[in-house]
mmCIF file with all atom_site columns, all heavy atoms in Angstrom:
data_model
loop_
_atom_site.group_PDB
_atom_site.id
_atom_site.type_symbol
_atom_site.label_atom_id
_atom_site.label_alt_id
_atom_site.label_comp_id
_atom_site.label_asym_id
_atom_site.label_entity_id
_atom_site.label_seq_id
_atom_site.pdbx_PDB_ins_code
_atom_site.Cartn_x
_atom_site.Cartn_y
_atom_site.Cartn_z
_atom_site.occupancy
_atom_site.B_iso_or_equiv
_atom_site.pdbx_formal_charge
_atom_site.auth_seq_id
_atom_site.auth_comp_id
_atom_site.auth_asym_id
_atom_site.auth_atom_id
_atom_site.pdbx_PDB_model_num
ATOM 1   N N   . LYS A 1 1  ? 28.126 -7.816 40.183 1.00 98.00 ? 469 LYS A N   1
ATOM 2   C CA  . LYS A 1 1  ? 29.367 -7.169 39.763 1.00 98.00 ? 469 LYS A CA  1
ATOM 3   C C   . LYS A 1 1  ? 29.579 -7.558 38.310 1.00 98.00 ? 469 LYS A C   1
ATOM 4   O O   . LYS A 1 1  ? 29.446 -8.722 37.944 1.00 98.00 ? 469 LYS A O   1
ATOM 5   C CB  . LYS A 1 1  ? 30.545 -7.621 40.623 1.00 98.00 ? 469 LYS A CB  1
ATOM 6   C CG  . LYS A 1 1  ? 30.456 -7.123 42.047 1.00 98.00 ? 469 LYS A CG  1
ATOM 7   C CD  . LYS A 1 1  ? 31.666 -7.530 42.861 1.00 98.00 ? 469 LYS A CD  1
ATOM 8   C CE  . LYS A 1 1  ? 31.497 -7.056 44.301 1.00 98.00 ? 469 LYS A CE  1
ATOM 9   N NZ  . LYS A 1 1  ? 32.652 -7.450 45.131 1.00 98.00 ? 469 LYS A NZ  1
ATOM 10  N N   . LEU A 1 2  ? 29.858 -6.547 37.501 1.00 98.00 ? 470 LEU A N   1
ATOM 11  C CA  . LEU A 1 2  ? 30.063 -6.748 36.071 1.00 98.00 ? 470 LEU A CA  1
ATOM 12  C C   . LEU A 1 2  ? 31.479 -6.360 35.681 1.00 98.00 ? 470 LEU A C   1
ATOM 13  O O   . LEU A 1 2  ? 31.997 -5.340 36.161 1.00 98.00 ? 470 LEU A O   1
ATOM 14  C CB  . LEU A 1 2  ? 29.078 -5.906 35.257 1.00 98.00 ? 470 LEU A CB  1
ATOM 15  C CG  . LEU A 1 2  ? 27.593 -6.210 35.404 1.00 98.00 ? 470 LEU A CG  1
ATOM 16  C CD1 . LEU A 1 2  ? 26.771 -5.237 34.563 1.00 98.00 ? 470 LEU A CD1 1
ATOM 17  C CD2 . LEU A 1 2  ? 27.273 -7.642 35.039 1.00 98.00 ? 470 LEU A CD2 1
ATOM 18  N N   . GLN A 1 3  ? 32.072 -7.145 34.816 1.00 98.00 ? 471 GLN A N   1
ATOM 19  C CA  . GLN A 1 3  ? 33.366 -6.822 34.209 1.00 98.00 ? 471 GLN A CA  1
ATOM 20  C C   . GLN A 1 3  ? 33.080 -6.113 32.895 1.00 98.00 ? 471 GLN A C   1
ATOM 21  O O   . GLN A 1 3  ? 32.364 -6.650 32.047 1.00 98.00 ? 471 GLN A O   1
ATOM 22  C CB  . GLN A 1 3  ? 34.160 -8.099 33.946 1.00 98.00 ? 471 GLN A CB  1
ATOM 23  C CG  . GLN A 1 3  ? 35.474 -7.884 33.219 1.00 98.00 ? 471 GLN A CG  1
ATOM 24  C CD  . GLN A 1 3  ? 36.551 -7.376 34.142 1.00 98.00 ? 471 GLN A CD  1
ATOM 25  O OE1 . GLN A 1 3  ? 36.762 -7.931 35.208 1.00 98.00 ? 471 GLN A OE1 1
ATOM 26  N NE2 . GLN A 1 3  ? 37.208 -6.306 33.745 1.00 98.00 ? 471 GLN A NE2 1
ATOM 27  N N   . LEU A 1 4  ? 33.598 -4.885 32.759 1.00 96.00 ? 472 LEU A N   1
ATOM 28  C CA  . LEU A 1 4  ? 33.386 -4.093 31.551 1.00 96.00 ? 472 LEU A CA  1
ATOM 29  C C   . LEU A 1 4  ? 34.720 -3.769 30.917 1.00 96.00 ? 472 LEU A C   1
ATOM 30  O O   . LEU A 1 4  ? 35.709 -3.562 31.621 1.00 96.00 ? 472 LEU A O   1
ATOM 31  C CB  . LEU A 1 4  ? 32.693 -2.765 31.894 1.00 96.00 ? 472 LEU A CB  1
ATOM 32  C CG  . LEU A 1 4  ? 31.347 -2.871 32.564 1.00 96.00 ? 472 LEU A CG  1
ATOM 33  C CD1 . LEU A 1 4  ? 31.184 -1.841 33.647 1.00 96.00 ? 472 LEU A CD1 1
ATOM 34  C CD2 . LEU A 1 4  ? 30.277 -2.673 31.545 1.00 96.00 ? 472 LEU A CD2 1
ATOM 35  N N   . ASP A 1 5  ? 34.740 -3.680 29.603 1.00 88.00 ? 473 ASP A N   1
ATOM 36  C CA  . ASP A 1 5  ? 35.966 -3.178 28.984 1.00 88.00 ? 473 ASP A CA  1
ATOM 37  C C   . ASP A 1 5  ? 35.907 -1.657 29.008 1.00 88.00 ? 473 ASP A C   1
ATOM 38  O O   . ASP A 1 5  ? 34.842 -1.067 29.191 1.00 88.00 ? 473 ASP A O   1
ATOM 39  C CB  . ASP A 1 5  ? 36.162 -3.755 27.579 1.00 88.00 ? 473 ASP A CB  1
ATOM 40  C CG  . ASP A 1 5  ? 35.105 -3.317 26.592 1.00 88.00 ? 473 ASP A CG  1
ATOM 41  O OD1 . ASP A 1 5  ? 34.793 -2.110 26.526 1.00 88.00 ? 473 ASP A OD1 1
ATOM 42  O OD2 . ASP A 1 5  ? 34.583 -4.185 25.869 1.00 88.00 ? 473 ASP A OD2 1
ATOM 43  N N   . PRO A 1 6  ? 37.066 -0.983 28.874 1.00 87.00 ? 474 PRO A N   1
ATOM 44  C CA  . PRO A 1 6  ? 37.078 0.490  28.980 1.00 87.00 ? 474 PRO A CA  1
ATOM 45  C C   . PRO A 1 6  ? 36.123 1.196  28.026 1.00 87.00 ? 474 PRO A C   1
ATOM 46  O O   . PRO A 1 6  ? 35.529 2.205  28.377 1.00 87.00 ? 474 PRO A O   1
ATOM 47  C CB  . PRO A 1 6  ? 38.534 0.852  28.689 1.00 87.00 ? 474 PRO A CB  1
ATOM 48  C CG  . PRO A 1 6  ? 39.306 -0.367 29.077 1.00 87.00 ? 474 PRO A CG  1
ATOM 49  C CD  . PRO A 1 6  ? 38.411 -1.529 28.736 1.00 87.00 ? 474 PRO A CD  1
ATOM 50  N N   . ALA A 1 7  ? 35.952 0.667  26.815 1.00 90.00 ? 475 ALA A N   1
ATOM 51  C CA  . ALA A 1 7  ? 35.036 1.304  25.854 1.00 90.00 ? 475 ALA A CA  1
ATOM 52  C C   . ALA A 1 7  ? 33.603 1.255  26.363 1.00 90.00 ? 475 ALA A C   1
ATOM 53  O O   . ALA A 1 7  ? 32.846 2.218  26.226 1.00 90.00 ? 475 ALA A O   1
ATOM 54  C CB  . ALA A 1 7  ? 35.148 0.632  24.497 1.00 90.00 ? 475 ALA A CB  1
ATOM 55  N N   . ALA A 1 8  ? 33.206 0.141  26.973 1.00 91.00 ? 476 ALA A N   1
ATOM 56  C CA  . ALA A 1 8  ? 31.850 0.019  27.515 1.00 91.00 ? 476 ALA A CA  1
ATOM 57  C C   . ALA A 1 8  ? 31.662 0.950  28.703 1.00 91.00 ? 476 ALA A C   1
ATOM 58  O O   . ALA A 1 8  ? 30.617 1.587  28.849 1.00 91.00 ? 476 ALA A O   1
ATOM 59  C CB  . ALA A 1 8  ? 31.563 -1.423 27.917 1.00 91.00 ? 476 ALA A CB  1
ATOM 60  N N   . ALA A 1 9  ? 32.675 1.046  29.553 1.00 92.00 ? 477 ALA A N   1
ATOM 61  C CA  . ALA A 1 9  ? 32.580 1.896  30.741 1.00 92.00 ? 477 ALA A CA  1
ATOM 62  C C   . ALA A 1 9  ? 32.404 3.368  30.371 1.00 92.00 ? 477 ALA A C   1
ATOM 63  O O   . ALA A 1 9  ? 31.835 4.143  31.144 1.00 92.00 ? 477 ALA A O   1
ATOM 64  C CB  . ALA A 1 9  ? 33.805 1.703  31.624 1.00 92.00 ? 477 ALA A CB  1
ATOM 65  N N   . ALA A 1 10 ? 32.854 3.754  29.198 1.00 93.00 ? 478 ALA A N   1
ATOM 66  C CA  . ALA A 1 10 ? 32.714 5.144  28.757 1.00 93.00 ? 478 ALA A CA  1
ATOM 67  C C   . ALA A 1 10 ? 31.250 5.558  28.591 1.00 93.00 ? 478 ALA A C   1
ATOM 68  O O   . ALA A 1 10 ? 30.934 6.747  28.590 1.00 93.00 ? 478 ALA A O   1
ATOM 69  C CB  . ALA A 1 10 ? 33.471 5.360  27.454 1.00 93.00 ? 478 ALA A CB  1
ATOM 70  N N   . ALA A 1 11 ? 30.332 4.591  28.477 1.00 94.00 ? 479 ALA A N   1
ATOM 71  C CA  . ALA A 1 11 ? 28.900 4.892  28.338 1.00 94.00 ? 479 ALA A CA  1
ATOM 72  C C   . ALA A 1 11 ? 28.253 5.240  29.674 1.00 94.00 ? 479 ALA A C   1
ATOM 73  O O   . ALA A 1 11 ? 27.120 5.706  29.717 1.00 94.00 ? 479 ALA A O   1
ATOM 74  C CB  . ALA A 1 11 ? 28.174 3.712  27.711 1.00 94.00 ? 479 ALA A CB  1
ATOM 75  N N   . LEU A 1 12 ? 28.972 5.033  30.773 1.00 97.00 ? 480 LEU A N   1
ATOM 76  C CA  . LEU A 1 12 ? 28.454 5.345  32.109 1.00 97.00 ? 480 LEU A CA  1
ATOM 77  C C   . LEU A 1 12 ? 28.825 6.782  32.444 1.00 97.00 ? 480 LEU A C   1
ATOM 78  O O   . LEU A 1 12 ? 29.913 7.246  32.105 1.00 97.00 ? 480 LEU A O   1
ATOM 79  C CB  . LEU A 1 12 ? 29.029 4.370  33.136 1.00 97.00 ? 480 LEU A CB  1
ATOM 80  C CG  . LEU A 1 12 ? 28.856 2.893  32.784 1.00 97.00 ? 480 LEU A CG  1
ATOM 81  C CD1 . LEU A 1 12 ? 29.519 2.027  33.844 1.00 97.00 ? 480 LEU A CD1 1
ATOM 82  C CD2 . LEU A 1 12 ? 27.400 2.536  32.608 1.00 97.00 ? 480 LEU A CD2 1
ATOM 83  N N   . LEU A 1 13 ? 27.922 7.470  33.114 1.00 98.00 ? 481 LEU A N   1
ATOM 84  C CA  . LEU A 1 13 ? 28.098 8.912  33.312 1.00 98.00 ? 481 LEU A CA  1
ATOM 85  C C   . LEU A 1 13 ? 28.283 9.289  34.774 1.00 98.00 ? 481 LEU A C   1
ATOM 86  O O   . LEU A 1 13 ? 27.578 8.780  35.651 1.00 98.00 ? 481 LEU A O   1
ATOM 87  C CB  . LEU A 1 13 ? 26.857 9.648  32.786 1.00 98.00 ? 481 LEU A CB  1
ATOM 88  C CG  . LEU A 1 13 ? 26.484 9.402  31.331 1.00 98.00 ? 481 LEU A CG  1
ATOM 89  C CD1 . LEU A 1 13 ? 25.147 10.078 31.015 1.00 98.00 ? 481 LEU A CD1 1
ATOM 90  C CD2 . LEU A 1 13 ? 27.581 9.901  30.410 1.00 98.00 ? 481 LEU A CD2 1
ATOM 91  N N   . PRO A 1 14 ? 29.181 10.258 35.043 1.00 98.00 ? 482 PRO A N   1
ATOM 92  C CA  . PRO A 1 14 ? 29.239 10.827 36.382 1.00 98.00 ? 482 PRO A CA  1
ATOM 93  C C   . PRO A 1 14 ? 27.969 11.634 36.633 1.00 98.00 ? 482 PRO A C   1
ATOM 94  O O   . PRO A 1 14 ? 27.270 12.015 35.679 1.00 98.00 ? 482 PRO A O   1
ATOM 95  C CB  . PRO A 1 14 ? 30.488 11.712 36.352 1.00 98.00 ? 482 PRO A CB  1
ATOM 96  C CG  . PRO A 1 14 ? 30.712 12.018 34.915 1.00 98.00 ? 482 PRO A CG  1
ATOM 97  C CD  . PRO A 1 14 ? 30.156 10.857 34.134 1.00 98.00 ? 482 PRO A CD  1
ATOM 98  N N   . TRP A 1 15 ? 27.676 11.902 37.900 1.00 97.00 ? 483 TRP A N   1
ATOM 99  C CA  . TRP A 1 15 ? 26.432 12.580 38.271 1.00 97.00 ? 483 TRP A CA  1
ATOM 100 C C   . TRP A 1 15 ? 26.186 13.838 37.446 1.00 97.00 ? 483 TRP A C   1
ATOM 101 O O   . TRP A 1 15 ? 25.080 14.046 36.933 1.00 97.00 ? 483 TRP A O   1
ATOM 102 C CB  . TRP A 1 15 ? 26.410 12.903 39.767 1.00 97.00 ? 483 TRP A CB  1
ATOM 103 C CG  . TRP A 1 15 ? 25.325 13.878 40.089 1.00 97.00 ? 483 TRP A CG  1
ATOM 104 C CD1 . TRP A 1 15 ? 25.468 15.166 40.514 1.00 97.00 ? 483 TRP A CD1 1
ATOM 105 C CD2 . TRP A 1 15 ? 23.908 13.672 39.965 1.00 97.00 ? 483 TRP A CD2 1
ATOM 106 N NE1 . TRP A 1 15 ? 24.244 15.765 40.652 1.00 97.00 ? 483 TRP A NE1 1
ATOM 107 C CE2 . TRP A 1 15 ? 23.253 14.869 40.327 1.00 97.00 ? 483 TRP A CE2 1
ATOM 108 C CE3 . TRP A 1 15 ? 23.124 12.591 39.574 1.00 97.00 ? 483 TRP A CE3 1
ATOM 109 C CZ2 . TRP A 1 15 ? 21.878 15.014 40.320 1.00 97.00 ? 483 TRP A CZ2 1
ATOM 110 C CZ3 . TRP A 1 15 ? 21.741 12.736 39.562 1.00 97.00 ? 483 TRP A CZ3 1
ATOM 111 C CH2 . TRP A 1 15 ? 21.132 13.930 39.939 1.00 97.00 ? 483 TRP A CH2 1
ATOM 112 N N   . ALA A 1 16 ? 27.189 14.700 37.301 1.00 97.00 ? 484 ALA A N   1
ATOM 113 C CA  . ALA A 1 16 ? 26.988 15.976 36.606 1.00 97.00 ? 484 ALA A CA  1
ATOM 114 C C   . ALA A 1 16 ? 26.483 15.766 35.177 1.00 97.00 ? 484 ALA A C   1
ATOM 115 O O   . ALA A 1 16 ? 25.659 16.537 34.686 1.00 97.00 ? 484 ALA A O   1
ATOM 116 C CB  . ALA A 1 16 ? 28.291 16.783 36.600 1.00 97.00 ? 484 ALA A CB  1
ATOM 117 N N   . ASP A 1 17 ? 26.953 14.715 34.518 1.00 98.00 ? 485 ASP A N   1
ATOM 118 C CA  . ASP A 1 17 ? 26.527 14.437 33.145 1.00 98.00 ? 485 ASP A CA  1
ATOM 119 C C   . ASP A 1 17 ? 25.236 13.632 33.084 1.00 98.00 ? 485 ASP A C   1
ATOM 120 O O   . ASP A 1 17 ? 24.504 13.692 32.099 1.00 98.00 ? 485 ASP A O   1
ATOM 121 C CB  . ASP A 1 17 ? 27.636 13.691 32.399 1.00 98.00 ? 485 ASP A CB  1
ATOM 122 C CG  . ASP A 1 17 ? 28.906 14.525 32.256 1.00 98.00 ? 485 ASP A CG  1
ATOM 123 O OD1 . ASP A 1 17 ? 28.812 15.771 32.211 1.00 98.00 ? 485 ASP A OD1 1
ATOM 124 O OD2 . ASP A 1 17 ? 29.994 13.922 32.207 1.00 98.00 ? 485 ASP A OD2 1
ATOM 125 N N   . ALA A 1 18 ? 24.950 12.860 34.124 1.00 98.00 ? 486 ALA A N   1
ATOM 126 C CA  . ALA A 1 18 ? 23.750 12.015 34.151 1.00 98.00 ? 486 ALA A CA  1
ATOM 127 C C   . ALA A 1 18 ? 22.509 12.772 34.604 1.00 98.00 ? 486 ALA A C   1
ATOM 128 O O   . ALA A 1 18 ? 21.391 12.354 34.304 1.00 98.00 ? 486 ALA A O   1
ATOM 129 C CB  . ALA A 1 18 ? 23.975 10.820 35.080 1.00 98.00 ? 486 ALA A CB  1
ATOM 130 N N   . ARG A 1 19 ? 22.695 13.870 35.305 1.00 98.00 ? 487 ARG A N   1
ATOM 131 C CA  . ARG A 1 19 ? 21.568 14.583 35.918 1.00 98.00 ? 487 ARG A CA  1
ATOM 132 C C   . ARG A 1 19 ? 20.447 14.905 34.933 1.00 98.00 ? 487 ARG A C   1
ATOM 133 O O   . ARG A 1 19 ? 19.277 14.636 35.204 1.00 98.00 ? 487 ARG A O   1
ATOM 134 C CB  . ARG A 1 19 ? 22.050 15.860 36.595 1.00 98.00 ? 487 ARG A CB  1
ATOM 135 C CG  . ARG A 1 19 ? 20.912 16.615 37.233 1.00 98.00 ? 487 ARG A CG  1
ATOM 136 C CD  . ARG A 1 19 ? 21.312 17.973 37.782 1.00 98.00 ? 487 ARG A CD  1
ATOM 137 N NE  . ARG A 1 19 ? 20.119 18.645 38.236 1.00 98.00 ? 487 ARG A NE  1
ATOM 138 C CZ  . ARG A 1 19 ? 19.875 18.982 39.482 1.00 98.00 ? 487 ARG A CZ  1
ATOM 139 N NH1 . ARG A 1 19 ? 20.759 18.732 40.412 1.00 98.00 ? 487 ARG A NH1 1
ATOM 140 N NH2 . ARG A 1 19 ? 18.748 19.580 39.804 1.00 98.00 ? 487 ARG A NH2 1
ATOM 141 N N   . ALA A 1 20 ? 20.775 15.455 33.784 1.00 98.00 ? 488 ALA A N   1
ATOM 142 C CA  . ALA A 1 20 ? 19.737 15.851 32.812 1.00 98.00 ? 488 ALA A CA  1
ATOM 143 C C   . ALA A 1 20 ? 18.939 14.634 32.347 1.00 98.00 ? 488 ALA A C   1
ATOM 144 O O   . ALA A 1 20 ? 17.715 14.695 32.225 1.00 98.00 ? 488 ALA A O   1
ATOM 145 C CB  . ALA A 1 20 ? 20.349 16.583 31.629 1.00 98.00 ? 488 ALA A CB  1
ATOM 146 N N   . GLY A 1 21 ? 19.617 13.519 32.086 1.00 97.00 ? 489 GLY A N   1
ATOM 147 C CA  . GLY A 1 21 ? 18.923 12.308 31.653 1.00 97.00 ? 489 GLY A CA  1
ATOM 148 C C   . GLY A 1 21 ? 18.045 11.725 32.737 1.00 97.00 ? 489 GLY A C   1
ATOM 149 O O   . GLY A 1 21 ? 16.935 11.240 32.474 1.00 97.00 ? 489 GLY A O   1
ATOM 150 N N   . ILE A 1 22 ? 18.520 11.767 33.983 1.00 98.00 ? 490 ILE A N   1
ATOM 151 C CA  . ILE A 1 22 ? 17.727 11.270 35.114 1.00 98.00 ? 490 ILE A CA  1
ATOM 152 C C   . ILE A 1 22 ? 16.513 12.165 35.320 1.00 98.00 ? 490 ILE A C   1
ATOM 153 O O   . ILE A 1 22 ? 15.392 11.680 35.524 1.00 98.00 ? 490 ILE A O   1
ATOM 154 C CB  . ILE A 1 22 ? 18.588 11.164 36.385 1.00 98.00 ? 490 ILE A CB  1
ATOM 155 C CG1 . ILE A 1 22 ? 19.642 10.060 36.206 1.00 98.00 ? 490 ILE A CG1 1
ATOM 156 C CG2 . ILE A 1 22 ? 17.719 10.901 37.617 1.00 98.00 ? 490 ILE A CG2 1
ATOM 157 C CD1 . ILE A 1 22 ? 20.698 10.014 37.281 1.00 98.00 ? 490 ILE A CD1 1
ATOM 158 N N   . GLU A 1 23 ? 16.722 13.463 35.218 1.00 97.00 ? 491 GLU A N   1
ATOM 159 C CA  . GLU A 1 23 ? 15.603 14.391 35.369 1.00 97.00 ? 491 GLU A CA  1
ATOM 160 C C   . GLU A 1 23 ? 14.569 14.189 34.263 1.00 97.00 ? 491 GLU A C   1
ATOM 161 O O   . GLU A 1 23 ? 13.355 14.232 34.514 1.00 97.00 ? 491 GLU A O   1
ATOM 162 C CB  . GLU A 1 23 ? 16.109 15.834 35.374 1.00 97.00 ? 491 GLU A CB  1
ATOM 163 C CG  . GLU A 1 23 ? 15.121 16.798 35.941 1.00 97.00 ? 491 GLU A CG  1
ATOM 164 C CD  . GLU A 1 23 ? 15.759 18.088 36.416 1.00 97.00 ? 491 GLU A CD  1
ATOM 165 O OE1 . GLU A 1 23 ? 16.865 18.435 35.976 1.00 97.00 ? 491 GLU A OE1 1
ATOM 166 O OE2 . GLU A 1 23 ? 15.107 18.756 37.243 1.00 97.00 ? 491 GLU A OE2 1
ATOM 167 N N   . ALA A 1 24 ? 15.007 13.916 33.043 1.00 97.00 ? 492 ALA A N   1
ATOM 168 C CA  . ALA A 1 24 ? 14.077 13.646 31.938 1.00 97.00 ? 492 ALA A CA  1
ATOM 169 C C   . ALA A 1 24 ? 13.271 12.384 32.221 1.00 97.00 ? 492 ALA A C   1
ATOM 170 O O   . ALA A 1 24 ? 12.062 12.342 31.954 1.00 97.00 ? 492 ALA A O   1
ATOM 171 C CB  . ALA A 1 24 ? 14.840 13.519 30.623 1.00 97.00 ? 492 ALA A CB  1
#
């Protein structure tokens, strides 16, 4: 479990936005 500040958490993507990167 990691504690992140809100700015860091913004770098994490929901599935719809992550799909292209995962597929690549």
Side-chain angles (χ1 to χ4, degrees):
K469 292 183 182 179
L470 297 178
Q471 175 78 49
L472 301 140
D473 65 47
L480 308 177
L481 303 174
W483 166 247
D485 296 331
R487 180 187 174 116
I490 293 170
E491 198 159 21

